[in-house]
Amino acid sequence: FKQEKRKFKKEREEFFDKQRSQRVETGGLKPGVKGQKADAGGPTSHLRPPSSALMPLNKYISHAGIAGRREAAEMVKKGLVKVNGETVTEPGHKVSEKDEVRVNGKKIFVAKNLVYILLNKPKDYITTTDDPQGRKTVLDIIGAATPERVYPVGRLDRNTSGVLLLTNDGDLAQKLTHPSNEIKKVYHVTLNKPLEKNDFDRILKGIKLDDGPASVDALAYADNKDKTQLGVEIHSGRNRI
């Protein structure tokens, strides 16, 4: 696998070198000339290099394992990101791996190795990368599992246990968490008393919570002999639903 990866990387570099050479031969930007302007009114070349391996700035930040694309876009809009020393506030601004990108003053790099950690989160751990109150986080559990910076996809409450994915794959995190994709989650719930039929039907019709109505995709008794054990399927990603 590593040999195939090195081969692919070499072929990719040779392809882009060939593309750059063709642009120079056909009157494109000359190599070694800094600050040369593109079309009138367009960005300077040190912010947008002549490379076909371009990607939106928020996607670049996401691939660096800093945050998902939506969060990265907000960082850019708030002026927290600099490209080659200049503040950029447009998430769609195109950059390449040759650009110097800094978030809050820290230089970032596109993640070369994508890491996926599936964790059975225990109770009494919070789903965040750090906590000002000094409480235990899910990152304390994985410890030195990887040198890559990973972050949790979605959240589980402190007293909730269950499966949690941690990764530096920003694209996957976006697909799993964006509401439009309606990714479903299944919970096993234990009650302190049996759930009666009328309450069962009320839940299926939808429950009004403090922050608005909440719908359930499926509801069933996990054990027909024990009506305190339920299986609940939802696709909403609201906090503490």
Side-chain angles (χ1 to χ4, degrees), residues 19-34:
Q19 292 289 326
R20 284 190 287 269
S21 298
Q22 290 176 348
R23 276 194 296 273
V24 172
E25 292 172 359
T26 56
L29 295 176
K30 297 179 180 180
V33 180
K34 296 182 179 180

Side-chain angles (χ1 to χ4, degrees), residues 1-15 112-113:
F1 175 76
K2 290 182 178 179
Q3 290 176 344
E4 289 294 326
K5 190 175 180 180
R6 283 195 291 266
K7 180 181 177 182
F8 172 76
K9 184 177 180 181
K10 182 179 179 181
E11 291 176 349
R12 183 180 64 180
E13 291 174 349
E14 290 176 350
F15 172 79
K112 299 297 182 181
N113 299 310

Side-chain angles (χ1 to χ4, degrees), residues 4-201:
E4 289 294 326
K5 190 175 180 180
R6 283 195 291 266
K7 180 181 177 182
F8 172 76
K9 184 177 180 181
K10 182 179 179 181
E11 291 176 349
R12 183 180 64 180
E13 291 174 349
E14 290 176 350
F15 172 79
F16 289 132
D17 287 340
K18 184 178 179 181
Q19 292 289 326
R20 284 190 287 269
S21 298
Q22 290 176 348
R23 276 194 296 273
V24 172
E25 292 172 359
T26 56
L29 295 176
K30 297 179 180 180
V33 180
K34 296 182 179 180
Q36 188 178 32
K37 291 187 177 181
D39 297 335
T44 56
S45 61
H46 71 283
L47 273 180
R48 190 170 184 176
S51 169
S52 57
L54 297 174
M55 69 174 72
L57 182 54
N58 66 320
K59 183 178 180 180
Y60 183 99
I61 296 171
S62 176
H63 282 194
I66 304 301
R69 286 197 200 179
R70 284 181 295 168
E71 292 82 0
E74 291 301 317
M75 291 179 180
V76 176
K77 292 177 182 178
K78 291 178 181 178
L80 303 178
V81 181
K82 288 188 176 182
V83 178
N84 299 326
E86 294 190 17
T87 300
V88 176
T89 57
E90 174 53 53
H93 177 83
K94 297 296 191 295
V95 295
S96 75
E97 293 185 15
K98 292 186 177 182
D99 288 299
E100 179 186 88
V101 180
R102 291 182 179 271
V103 178
N104 282 326
K106 183 179 180 180
K107 188 175 181 180
I108 64 172
F109 303 89
V110 171
K112 299 297 182 181
N113 299 310
L114 296 178
V115 177
Y116 309 86
I117 298 175
L118 200 60
L119 174 69
N120 184 11
K121 176 194 167 303
K123 293 183 179 181
D124 203 32
Y125 283 83
I126 61 175
T127 308
T128 184
T129 54
D130 55 28
D131 181 54
Q133 301 180 35
R135 294 172 296 180
K136 295 180 290 187
T137 75
V138 291
L139 292 187
D140 294 328
I141 301 175
I142 63 173
T146 175
E148 303 288 345
R149 177 187 170 91
V150 297
Y151 52 93
V153 179
R155 292 180 179 273
L156 289 177
D157 289 341
R158 181 178 179 181
N159 290 322
T160 300
S161 61
V163 66
L164 182 69
L165 176 67
L166 298 99
T167 183
N168 58 355
D169 187 338
D171 282 340
L172 177 63
Q174 173 81 357
K175 291 176 183 177
L176 291 176
T177 57
H178 198 280
S180 64
N181 295 323
E182 297 188 351
I183 301 298
K184 294 183 178 181
K185 282 88 62 174
V186 177
Y187 294 86
H188 186 133
V189 182
T190 301
L191 303 178
N192 62 352
K193 61 182 180 180
L195 183 71
E196 301 300 335
K197 181 68 166 58
N198 60 332
D199 292 322
F200 188 102
D201 294 337

